Amino acid sequence: MAPIPHSGHPAVEAYLAEGYDSVVGMSSRFAAAVCARLLRLQTEEGVAGPIAEIGAFEGRFFIALAHALEPGEIALGIDIFEWPNPQVKDRFEANCLKHGIAPERRVTIKADAGAMSPAELTGHANGDKLRFIHVDGEHSRAALGKDLALATACLAEGGLIVLDDMLHPGYPTLMVAVQEYLTANPDIVPLCIIDRETIVGATKFVLCQRDWFERYQAAMLTIFAEQIWPLGADFEPHWCLVLSLDTRLAEIT
Ligand SMILES: C[S@@+](CC[C@H](N)C(=O)[O-])C[C@H]1O[C@@H](n2cnc3c(N)ncnc32)[C@H](O)[C@@H]1O
């Protein structure tokens, strides 16, 4: 098995080692480390600004992302905060505090992402566009379509959109929404696929602007050299990297 990559941030490493599993949530540690490292890559490439998560829940993934921010950058946590009960918002805020994300570094937004306008969302970040958006809200085809439209309208130059629960056996129609979106938005392409760790820590797709693809991929070939699955992903005709902890190929002899 390949190792989990270094996130590039001491605070993220400490949280992944000591806090991540204690916060109730669904995303994998592998995906959190990859996404934190991608945030570092953006910083290295001069891309700065706020980030957001649609579907913050109790904060497991959100806290990892927030620890990867540069000084002065903030993280927006959006959720309807009703499931499984309304106290989930208090647990989100308590988890952020407990794991080192102070109130001035985050904004808690209790809202239906599907009913939000781009101006409303960026308004929570002083009107700045977002450099990273993790989409992990309602898992219906229609809702993902709306969340993708919102994320695209709010995306900064060099920004990344990360989609959770892709290729998940429980949500097969999400892939249809992604295909429709990619066809309708030719300026956005898949940058990489982060393979699943378990059925709960599911696969994520990372999308970027077409103009940024080569630049990001060139750096990722080195950064994630140990996690690259050799065959890559065929998005017909676009190809992108597959990052996995299991980089074996099928034995054919
Ligand atoms: C799978 S959980 C997110 C898990 C979390 N990102 C993590 O990694 O631990 C999905 C979340 O999306 C939220 N959600 C569902 N529909 C939503 C909507 N329309 N707007 C905002 N959040 C929504 C749910 O309340 C739930 O907390």
Side-chain angles (χ1 to χ4, degrees):
M1 295 294 271
I4 288 186
H6 195 282
S7 67
H9 307 263
V12 176
E13 290 299 300
Y15 171 63
L16 292 181
E18 288 146 32
Y20 195 78
D21 289 337
S22 71
V23 178
V24 178
M26 287 87 177
S27 293
S28 77
R29 215 142 57 92
F30 174 49
V34 169
C35 288
R37 186 63 187 86
L38 290 175
L39 283 162
R40 166 66 74 206
L41 174 58
Q42 287 185 307
T43 302
E44 290 160 356
E45 294 290 340
V47 178
I51 67 167
E53 180 175 45
I54 298 174
F57 190 49
E58 299 215 4
R60 171 187 275 197
F61 201 71
F62 179 89
I63 294 166
L65 297 178
H67 273 305
L69 293 178
E70 296 301 305
E73 293 178 331
I74 57 166
L76 314 180
I78 306 136
D79 204 296
I80 50 175
F81 289 122
E82 290 291 344
W83 176 81
N85 53 49
Q87 291 76 38
V88 64
K89 179 167 175 279
D90 299 331
R91 293 194 294 276
F92 169 75
E93 300 211 304
N95 284 331
C96 286
L97 266 185
K98 180 175 175 189
H99 295 286
I101 307 301
E104 58 271 19
R105 298 174 65 196
R106 62 180 158 82
V107 182
T108 305
I109 305 166
K110 181 175 166 60
D112 173 359
M116 265 187 138
S117 70
E120 213 177 329
L121 180 53
T122 55
H124 290 285
N126 301 315
D128 291 343
K129 289 204 163 183
L130 309 171
R131 68 154 158 139
F132 188 104
I133 305 163
H134 182 225
V135 177
D136 193 10
E138 185 189 327
H139 283 18
S140 70
R141 183 177 158 185
L144 178 58
K146 283 189 200 171
D147 289 349
L148 272 165
L150 177 65
T152 308
C154 296
L155 197 65
E157 181 63 28
L160 299 174
I161 299 174
V162 180
L163 308 177
D164 192 36
D165 288 323
M166 295 293 103
L167 312 174
H168 189 298
Y171 311 108
T173 65
L174 295 187
M175 193 61 221
V176 182
V178 174
Q179 274 303 132
E180 286 172 352
Y181 168 81
L182 291 173
T183 303
N185 294 271
D187 291 343
I188 304 282
V189 293
L191 174 63
C192 71
I193 294 182
I194 306 170
D195 193 18
R196 83 177 201 184
E197 264 198 279
T198 64
I199 197 163
V200 176
T203 299
K204 294 187 197 289
F205 290 174
V206 181
L207 312 180
C208 71
Q209 289 137 347
R210 188 177 288 274
D211 290 350
W212 284 77
F213 175 80
E214 290 296 343
R215 191 182 329 188
Y216 280 143
Q217 181 173 263
M220 289 166 66
L221 286 168
T222 305
I223 293 168
F224 300 115
E226 291 177 283
Q227 292 84 24
I228 292 171
W229 183 66
L231 297 186
D234 182 3
F235 270 92
E236 299 185 13
H238 179 84
W239 285 79
C240 74
L241 295 176
V242 173
L243 308 181
S244 181
L245 295 174
D246 183 354
T247 56
R248 291 170 300 175
L249 292 177
E251 291 178 18
I252 53 170
T253 55

